[in-house]
Amino acid sequence: MPLRPNQRLKLDDTDDKLFYAYPRFVTHVDDGFIQQLTDLYRQRLKPNTRIFDMMSSWVSHLPDDMEFDHVEGHGLNAEELSRNPRLNHYIVQNLNENPQLTLPDQSFDAVLNCVSVQYVQYPEAVFSEIYRILKPGGIAIISFSNRMFFQKAIQAWRDATESTRVELVKRYFASVPGFTTPEVIAHKSTVPNFLQWVGIPGGDPFYAVIAYRREAQ
Ligand SMILES: C[S@@+](CC[C@H](N)C(=O)[O-])C[C@H]1O[C@@H](n2cnc3c(N)ncnc32)[C@H](O)[C@@H]1O
């Protein structure tokens, strides 16, 4: 188990659906973060493939100049998802209530999760689903910064530093046999936190933890 029971707790333990009942047409990270993520997607995703954008909203950060066969979205707010121009279809499902996805085995080339993994209370179940729906050789890209809805992030995430959060996501991958050893991309902010707290912009730090479903042996 990658987490102890107390590490899964949120300060606000009401149903997540209530917190996401109203749409938020905002971006949760700055332009620099989004540019790095879009560039990473451009490098690692293949055109004309099937993408699952897990814990998505009205934006997917996919490169405008790339076409995909199918982009399946998922999240908690239907209004946000219905406005996302990249999605062909979407599912509304609370992963903390039911982590099992109604998607077939080995049906996606890539699973993406952007700035949301901190809200997952049962990562071993969710990462097992990521593995199940990925085709052999398929990629999972989990990206995050240092921002969060603090009251909805699990205790393990709230208590961690930026680098121990990377270790946490690596542990989530390691909890499922069959993923490759995760690769980490870490671009820390160039301005120290205490200066950002007094209003000097530093650029959001960018982290991505990437693993592939191993090809069949
Ligand atoms: C910070 S937003 C990020 C949205 C999007 N990935 C982006 O890059 O803008 C967090 C998203 O996680 C989703 N989410 C939060 N808790 C969830 C849960 N328990 N089950 C499913 N989705 C959840 C919400 O729908 C929300 O859109």
Side-chain angles (χ1 to χ4, degrees), residues 44-61:
R44 299 300 181 99
L45 304 179
K46 297 191 180 91
N48 309 318
T49 56
R50 290 175 52 84
I51 312 290
F52 181 51
D53 186 13
M54 172 181 261
M55 305 181 85
S56 182
S57 66
W58 65 293
V59 276
S60 283
H61 317 300

Side-chain angles (χ1 to χ4, degrees), residues 7 9-10 20 25-26 34 39 42 47 54 89 116 118 134 139 142 147 160 190 194 197:
Q7 292 183 300
L9 300 177
K10 299 178 172 198
Y20 294 98
F25 295 109
V26 297
I34 293 170
D39 290 345
R42 186 178 287 102
M54 172 181 261
H89 182 259
S116 304
Q118 62 270 23
L134 273 177
I139 189 172
I142 313 297
R147 301 199 199 196
T190 47
F194 74 94
W197 292 332

Side-chain angles (χ1 to χ4, degrees), residues 72-83:
E72 182 77 26
H74 155 266
L76 276 186
N77 187 284
E79 213 177 320
E80 289 174 8
L81 294 164
S82 69
R83 290 245 211 125

Side-chain angles (χ1 to χ4, degrees), residues 16-33:
D16 290 341
K17 281 198 289 294
L18 298 174
F19 187 78
Y20 294 98
Y22 295 98
R24 293 178 175 87
F25 295 109
V26 297
T27 43
H28 298 277
V29 270
D30 70 11
D31 291 347
F33 180 105

